[in-house]
Amino acid sequence: DVYKRQLVGCILGAMVAGILGDKYGRRPVLILAAALFFISALGCTIPPSFKFLYSVRIIGGIGVGIASVLSPLYISEFSPPGIRGRLVALYQLSIVTGILLAYGSNWMLLNHSVHNDGLTGGSGFLYKIFVGEVWRSMFGMEMVPALLLLVLLLFVPESPRWLIQAGSSKSGKRILEKISGTEVAKVEFKEILFSLDQEKGKLRELFRPGLRTALMVAVGLSVFGQLTGINAVIYYGPEILKQAGIQFGNALQFQTILGIINLVFTILALLLIDRLGRRPLLIGGMAAVVLTLLLAGLLFLTDTPNGMLIVMVLGAYIACIAFSICAVIWVLTPEIFPNRVRGRAMSIAAFTNWGTNTVAAYLFPWYVASFGMHIGFFLSLIH
């Protein structure tokens, strides 16, 4: 239920991120998101009540929603054209790295709690956080990357495209020259000025012919990317593995292995996305995702599902989806919109993404309890 509350915040953050980013710049709003991460992590570690816990999770979700819009946007506007795809894919790499670190830290903290539970004299504050109520330390670990992000953002420049759009042409051009060199910067600078002359930057432009098609692509990728079940596996992985006959502690261990697979295949996509192109990765990877979802559903149809075989199939599923839509969506979406409407377009795409994510997260436990785990995988297959 705590995860679901955070998803509500993600929707709110995604709704306002594009507007705030266009008005105040990418960097200041990202700094705000990092501060919200830290506040949420601290509050979740020492909540005086469940109501307070839910509130600070929503605050953290707002930060996630903001970052999910502005991080790939900032990277795409900051990157040299020749390696833009790979650099934007680093955003997805950072996500899967964070997921893996969360899996690993949760597993280690749980093991520490189990092995030290019941120690004589164990009643202090640290004992409570790291042993007696280990969920507190699991939330508290979020403060480390949040603080690191907040500090590092203080040393990065603003997006050169946003600076030019805001009237600081000299500053924007200077940053472009540092990134791409003088000659390439001249070309990029002219292209940005031309796009600013051509585009009015109004929300209604997204519904005109041409941009309307781009918006449909971005929204479609967001919706169907979530409905393929990736976040259901991430959020409810231990429960899925538990139904496969794997105990909770071992389930966290296997989920860490799935996180490693996610990281490895995201790196592979990162290396190939500019060479092979976005479309081949998307089509080929999603075809393999369909097969793995079918196999997972069939395995859960049996009375006694083979736990290790299910882990292997889920590993293949994670590999395929990490190599395809999870890597492509954040690279492709900012590329298909002009600079002046990119922030608003990214907000709509991210809002759709988190909205679908939230609906799926709320419905997954219900339809699994009502119809069985196999139905969950078959529904994801149909989508």
Side-chain angles (χ1 to χ4, degrees):
D1 193 44
V2 173
Y3 284 118
K4 296 173 186 176
R5 299 296 178 120
Q6 183 175 22
L7 291 174
V8 173
C10 293
I11 295 174
L12 297 175
M15 288 175 62
V16 301
I19 297 172
L20 294 178
D22 286 344
K23 185 173 183 179
Y24 299 107
R26 317 317 189 197
R27 180 174 171 267
V29 184
L30 283 172
I31 291 174
L32 171 64
L36 295 177
F37 293 156
F38 186 84
I39 292 169
S40 175
L42 178 61
C44 289
T45 307
I46 51 172
S49 65
F50 278 111
K51 184 179 293 187
F52 183 87
L53 177 63
Y54 290 151
S55 299
V56 291
R57 287 302 283 178
I58 292 174
I59 289 173
I62 293 173
V64 173
I66 291 173
S68 69
V69 174
L70 293 187
S71 294
L73 180 61
Y74 175 84
I75 297 169
S76 69
E77 293 179 344
F78 195 86
S79 307
I83 57 172
R84 184 167 295 149
R86 277 172 284 174
L87 290 181
V88 176
L90 282 174
Y91 169 71
Q92 178 63 21
L93 179 63
S94 70
I95 292 175
V96 300
T97 302
I99 292 171
L100 175 59
L101 291 175
Y103 287 163
S105 64
N106 287 347
W107 175 41
M108 289 186 290
L109 287 168
L110 179 63
N111 280 342
H112 175 78
S113 173
V114 170
H115 291 139
N116 291 277
D117 191 22
L119 289 179
T120 303
S123 59
F125 179 71
L126 291 179
Y127 180 88
K128 179 181 180 180
I129 290 180
F130 288 98
V131 180
E133 297 178 359
V134 68
W135 59 268
R136 294 178 181 271
S137 59
M138 291 179 178
F139 281 126
M141 290 297 291
E142 298 175 16
M143 287 188 284
V144 177
L147 185 60
L148 185 61
L149 175 63
L150 181 60
V151 172
L152 291 177
L153 280 171
L154 299 176
F155 297 95
V156 301
E158 180 56 85
S159 159
R161 292 173 181 264
W162 184 86
L163 287 171
I164 295 169
Q165 176 182 322
S168 301
S169 298
K170 290 184 179 179
S171 298
K173 189 175 182 180
R174 187 162 54 248
I175 294 173
L176 285 174
E177 290 173 349
K178 290 181 179 179
I179 298 169
S180 306
T182 304
E183 296 303 318
V184 176
K186 288 181 180 179
V187 176
E188 282 196 89
F189 183 73
K190 290 179 180 179
E191 289 177 351
I192 293 171
L193 290 177
F194 178 76
S195 70
L196 295 179
D197 289 336
Q198 295 298 313
E199 300 293 338
K200 303 301 182 183
K202 302 297 183 181
L203 183 63
R204 61 176 178 268
E205 288 189 53
L206 290 171
F207 300 94
R208 294 177 180 175
L211 286 181
R212 183 169 57 211
T213 302
L215 185 63
M216 290 174 60
V217 170
V219 170
L221 286 175
S222 297
V223 171
F224 292 109
Q226 290 298 326
L227 293 180
T228 53
I230 179 60
N231 281 314
V233 174
I234 291 173
Y235 298 152
Y236 300 106
E239 179 62 27
I240 294 172
L241 294 174
K242 182 181 177 181
Q243 291 204 23
I246 298 173
Q247 296 300 313
F248 181 70
N250 291 330
L252 281 178
Q253 183 178 0
F254 284 122
Q255 198 173 30
T256 303
I257 295 173
L258 296 180
I260 294 172
I261 294 172
N262 197 3
L263 175 63
V264 169
F265 278 86
T266 299
I267 293 174
L268 184 60
L270 174 69
L271 296 174
L272 296 177
I273 193 167
D274 282 328
R275 187 183 308 171
L276 299 180
R278 286 58 162 152
R279 193 166 180 268
L281 285 185
L282 190 60
I283 294 175
M286 292 310 294
V289 167
V290 169
L291 179 60
T292 56
L293 287 171
L294 175 62
L295 289 174
L298 292 174
L299 286 172
F300 273 107
L301 268 175
T302 62
D303 294 331
T304 55
N306 187 314
M308 288 305 301
L309 188 56
I310 286 175
V311 169
M312 293 172 63
V313 172
L314 288 179
Y317 162 77
I318 290 291
C320 296
I321 204 165
F323 188 71
S324 55
I325 194 166
C326 286
V328 170
I329 184 172
W330 298 116
V331 176
L332 183 63
T333 302
E335 286 182 332
I336 59 179
F337 293 101
N339 182 62
R340 287 284 292 200
V341 295
R342 189 174 292 142
R344 290 171 174 80
M346 287 292 291
S347 278
I348 292 174
F351 171 77
T352 307
N353 188 296
W354 287 115
T356 311
N357 187 342
T358 302
V359 172
Y362 271 89
L363 290 180
F364 183 81
W366 171 77
Y367 63 68
V368 165
S370 302
F371 307 108
M373 186 66 72
H374 61 288
I375 295 298
F377 284 101
F378 288 148
L379 284 175
S380 297
L381 166 66
I382 293 171
H383 296 140

